[in-house]
Amino acid sequence: MSILVTGGTGYIGSHTCVELLNAGHEIVILDNLNNSHLEAVRRIERITGKKPVFIQGDIRDTQFIQKVLIDNKSTAVIHFAGLKAVGESCEQPLKYYDYNVNGTLCLLNAMQQAGVKTLVFSSSATVYGDPEKLPIQENSPLKATNPYGRSKLIVEEMLRDLYASDPNWHIAILRYFNPVGAHKSGLIGEDPKGIPNNLMPIVAQVAGGRREKLHIWGNDYPTPDGTGVRDYIHIVDLAIGHLKALEALDSAQCTAFNLGTGQGYSVMEVIHAFEHVSNKKITYEMAPRRSGDIAECYADPHLAKEQLGWEAKHGLREMCEDMWNWQVKNPQGYQ
Ligand code: NAD
Ligand code: UD1
């Protein structure tokens, strides 16, 4: 019996594989290596001492996925595979609907045909759009503002429809806030292909000298220091959230959970924390607001605590320390 982890060589997937193996689960990693490296599989093995099965393949191949599920006697799927760059999704919306919506549809068909009805799905806080109320609760209005966000929202709706039609499904929808940091070993971490867009990888690259400076997208927001506020969550806390969600899926349901800390930090606070742990100066320049950005976003994480027995344990300092450790040990990522 094993758990199929789609996108398991990616950033969140690789950290979750470590936690699954450490907890004694058998896993099969399925990834097309579109945005990740095979080296991640070797690193997972180095950390855990266990060799995961790796299969290179695409979630859009229904028959192939069905065979993988049956051959490996899979009992559940944790579904990370997909595309995640907001800007790219505006330029190539069809590609995003193909990978994220059609890809998930193919996977669900394969699961249904193979009789595997337990799923943990990677959603995002982006489905809340610009929130009306903070902290954000799971029953807040959903309204994505870009093709990436809409692809997540469509899949969420698809999952709710599927469960309504067949209550034998066990589905956890995890809405991540802002995952950052790396495994303590410094062996796995985020290795964005191309130019990263997210704050923390850019800050780490500036500290590491791989990039000259950071542009701060707006210092005129209605926040204490004018810069954007987000709920950063340590990647290992996030990974453990998947384990807890899987363990809690013993009853039929389709439930959405926020995975965040409940604490917001501004861009300036992140910069100061990173300077402190790295002992490096982060050169930055103020720039106009980034289109589509919101002022403030942080979770109400109580539902996950009550129903999954999960809460984030790491603070901003550890997020920066572990991010810096990964950056120093892997200045060029996995290559
Ligand atoms: P990632 O790009 O590091 O990992 C995704 C993995 O999926 C990659 O290894 C990629 O090669 C693989 N993949 C993509 N398309 C595939 C396909 N058609 N078939 C098989 N494999 C495929 O991204 P991540 O940060 O680990 O994100 C994982 C999931 O979490 C994604 O669905 C993403 O949308 C979601 N998410 C991420 C964040 C974040 O900030 N990282 C926030 C919210 C939600
Ligand atoms: C972005 C995505 C969101 C996605 C999330 C996690 C956009 C509009 N939103 O969210 O859909 O779910 O990543 O992958 O892209 N910042 C700078 N300079 C930079 C980069 C970021 O000042 O070079 C600021 C941003 O304005 C924001 C904060 O840092 O205030 C965090 O940005 P980022 O890491 O990109 O995350 P989100 O904007 O929350």
Side-chain angles (χ1 to χ4, degrees), residues 100-113:
N100 293 2
V101 179
N102 176 41
T104 305
L105 189 59
C106 293
L107 173 70
L108 291 172
N109 273 316
M111 288 176 70
Q112 196 160 45
Q113 282 155 25

Side-chain angles (χ1 to χ4, degrees), residues 86 124 126 178 198-199 202 215-217 230 232 290 293:
V86 173
S124 166
T126 196
N178 290 60
N198 292 120
L199 178 67
I202 297 175
H215 288 101
I216 297 183
W217 306 129
R230 296 293 184 273
Y232 298 96
R290 180 172 66 178
D293 264 3

Side-chain angles (χ1 to χ4, degrees), residues 165-194:
S165 75
D166 175 0
N168 291 316
W169 280 84
H170 299 51
I171 301 171
I173 294 170
L174 304 184
R175 296 184 183 143
Y176 313 150
F177 280 68
N178 290 60
V180 297
H183 191 262
K184 287 257 171 284
S185 62
L187 284 169
I188 54 172
E190 186 170 17
D191 182 13
K193 281 196 177 158

Side-chain angles (χ1 to χ4, degrees), residues 279-308:
N279 209 15
K280 301 276 180 191
K281 174 104 194 70
I282 311 291
T283 308
Y284 63 82
E285 194 175 286
M286 292 301 174
R289 292 181 181 191
R290 180 172 66 178
S291 144
D293 264 3
I294 56 176
E296 234 178 327
C297 174
Y298 53 91
D300 179 338
H302 285 99
L303 190 68
K305 186 172 180 188
E306 280 158 26
Q307 292 197 17
L308 309 180

